Amino acid sequence: MLDVGTDAPEFSLPDQRGETVSLDDFDGEYVVVYFYPRADTPGCTTEACSFRDNWDAFADAGVSVVGISDDPVDDLDAFAAEYDLPFPLLSDEEGEVAAAYDSYGEKNMFGNTFDGVFRNTYVVGPDGDVVLAYEGVDPEEHAEEILSDVREL
């Protein structure tokens, strides 16, 4: 995990519509950068829908949200449309941005070893520093946890 106070690594990635989204787009504001393993799987859907269901509270707190996975743009588009997700989902197919955020590496599942995205989240502050970091989060409670923590900043 990146340490709180670290400069957040820059990124520019395509979103679910194929439009480029960069960390610079959020200069001067708080942004949740959450990493998730795979679109349209149970845990990732729960997490994304929790951010959706709390969207107004994030907006009221002045906090933007972006999700990043190694899914291709077409998969992200279908996922966002199916669950009416109001925030950008970014495609990091090579895992380079996730790796820069210490959120990509070797995983083991069902006896198979492969490289993939870890379920980690960072809140980047208005100056581009990591202000909050969460490792191996609970998809159900995570959005509310972030909202509570951001309100204390």
Side-chain angles (χ1 to χ4, degrees):
M1 291 292 297
L2 298 178
D3 292 328
V4 169
T6 303
D7 287 340
E10 294 292 329
F11 60 78
S12 290
L13 294 169
D15 71 4
Q16 69 267 31
R17 294 177 303 277
E19 298 173 12
T20 300
V21 175
S22 300
L23 183 59
D24 289 345
D25 296 341
F26 304 98
D27 278 350
E29 60 186 271
Y30 288 99
V31 60
V32 173
V33 179
Y34 85 93
F35 294 89
Y36 62 99
R38 185 72 50 220
D40 213 13
T41 57
C44 297
T45 300
T46 296
E47 185 174 20
C49 290
S50 181
F51 281 113
R52 177 203 63 204
D53 295 347
N54 286 283
W55 183 249
D56 289 340
F58 277 101
D60 290 346
V63 179
S64 296
V65 176
V66 297
I68 300 177
S69 74
D70 59 359
D71 292 301
V73 169
D74 289 343
D75 290 356
L76 297 178
D77 187 43
F79 182 48
E82 182 174 353
Y83 295 100
D84 196 27
L85 303 177
F87 50 86
L89 299 175
L90 308 184
S91 176
D92 181 25
E93 286 192 77
E94 302 302 317
E96 293 173 357
V97 172
Y101 279 81
D102 290 339
S103 297
Y104 191 86
E106 188 174 283
K107 299 174 78 170
N108 294 298
M109 187 180 296
F110 306 115
N112 296 315
T113 301
F114 57 95
D115 286 339
V117 178
F118 305 136
R119 191 181 308 281
N120 295 333
T121 300
Y122 296 92
V123 176
V124 178
D127 295 329
D129 293 342
V130 173
V131 296
L132 298 168
Y134 306 85
E135 185 172 19
V137 304
D138 175 356
E140 280 189 52
E141 307 294 330
H142 191 46
E144 291 88 357
E145 176 185 22
I146 292 171
L147 277 168
S148 175
D149 291 347
V150 166
R151 288 178 177 135
E152 293 179 16
L153 292 176

